[in-house]
Amino acid sequence: MFIVILTAVLGLMHLYLWKRLIRDTTRPGLVRWVLTADLVICALLLVAVLMVPRTLGVTSLGWLAWPGYVWFGLAAYLFLASLALEPVRLLLRGWVRRGTAPVAEAAEPAAPVAPVAESAEAAEPSSPVNRRLFLARAGAAAAGAASVSLVGYGATRALGPPDVLAVPVRLRRLDPAFTGFRIAVVSDIHLGPLAGRRHTERIVETINGAEPDLVAIVGDLVDGSVAELGAAAEPLRDLASREGTFFVTGNHEYFVDEPAQWLTELDRLGVNVLRNENTPIRRGAAAFDLAGINDLAGESRSDPPNFDRALAGVGPSRPTVLLAHQPIMVSEAAARGVDLQLSGHTHGGQMWPFHYVVQLVQPSLAGLSTVDDTQLYVTRGAGFWGPPVRVGAPPDVTVLSLSPQG
């Protein structure tokens, strides 16, 4: 259903782009037909890149994914830039219509001029046709320049190394023995046709360089099967931390045919999967409880989130840290007395101004916030989905440094 809705939206978006960037900027003829055909090809390429990997696999389709997803980013910003120029078009509408009557009257007595005036290509510089074309072409050029610049900058950020963020967190009931305990939080790695083994290696190098005590991977690791992406995930075995690496599912883990195969593979790589369960993290006699809950998308695969199981037996005298892919689960976590929830899913919006849409459906876009008595930390993620572009939401690996509250 998501793909159907997205395809419909993309179709309407391309229709608008055709109107503003092709129909308004060209006269009827060969050039318009060629540009229209190019836009149709780009639209079909985008639909194909969204649909084909689900039937033909992921790893062999990089040749299709790169141009398709790059066009996705360009089309989104061309659409937004063209919309932003609509007020300018309205303001200049009078200028387009003004000043043509005197020219027509002056031209009437001169009979030899009439055949030239009949040609659209030879219209007077002050005619409405030429003014309209000038305005449309100037707008298209401005939208194109802005879009290419944003996508170029965003691709550099998305494909580069993630930022390392240091965030102090004070937890109630935390034993002083855990002062300075460091949790590396990473999410939304999104291994797939555009992000492979080198992407994983770069993230592992970043995390190991931070020397954390514990690594938390909070979902959306993969966009394909173990057979397709197992080799890309292998560097995860090199993650180094005193207490180990822990993982919870994201919604994308349930988009593959056999989600359980990934959980087995992660276990083979030394990554501890928390499936609605918890484990104590100890420092001598002191401890806090680390819990993990399945993503909401697990309901479609008979593997739903279960707070009762995830928090069963947690100690009331010590803090609980919950790994949950989607920030929206914090309401239930707060109702059950969780001290800190670590999430991803939002990508920080990934491409401005889509940040504002994400904020409508999630309690936090990124960073540390509080819901009732529960602290929520949302990482922007270390990868990307769809366009290899991040604007206003750089990728990150966050290192939380714990200390007692009060």
Side-chain angles (χ1 to χ4, degrees), residues 74 144-154:
L74 282 171
S147 301
V148 170
S149 299
L150 283 169
V151 169
Y153 164 77

Side-chain angles (χ1 to χ4, degrees), residues 167-186:
V167 178
V169 177
R170 299 168 66 85
L171 286 183
R172 60 190 176 185
R173 304 195 306 273
L174 184 70
D175 193 282
F178 283 101
T179 300
F181 188 90
R182 293 156 61 83
I183 302 176
V185 185
V186 64

Side-chain angles (χ1 to χ4, degrees), residues 16 79-91 138-144:
Y16 174 79
F79 176 74
L80 292 173
S82 298
L83 277 182
L85 289 171
E86 291 294 345
V88 177
R89 294 187 184 95
L90 289 174
L91 288 173

Side-chain angles (χ1 to χ4, degrees), residues 125-201:
S126 59
S127 73
V129 172
N130 272 8
R131 289 189 176 191
R132 190 178 299 112
L133 278 174
F134 171 78
L135 179 61
R137 289 171 179 175
S147 301
V148 170
S149 299
L150 283 169
V151 169
Y153 164 77
T156 300
R157 293 301 278 129
L159 299 173
D163 294 344
V164 179
L165 308 181
V167 178
V169 177
R170 299 168 66 85
L171 286 183
R172 60 190 176 185
R173 304 195 306 273
L174 184 70
D175 193 282
F178 283 101
T179 300
F181 188 90
R182 293 156 61 83
I183 302 176
V185 185
V186 64
S187 182
D188 302 281
I189 295 174
H190 284 292
L191 298 177
L194 305 187
R197 187 183 183 97
R198 179 60 194 133
H199 179 58
T200 311
E201 290 173 343

Side-chain angles (χ1 to χ4, degrees), residues 31-32 46 54 129 140 147 232 251 263 312 333 343 349:
V31 172
R32 179 179 291 181
L46 181 49
R54 294 175 176 270
V129 172
S147 301
N251 53 306
L263 306 185
S343 298

Side-chain angles (χ1 to χ4, degrees), residues 59-77:
T59 53
S60 62
L61 294 174
W63 61 273
L64 178 69
W66 277 106
Y69 280 127
V70 169
W71 170 246
F72 195 170
L74 282 171
Y77 278 120

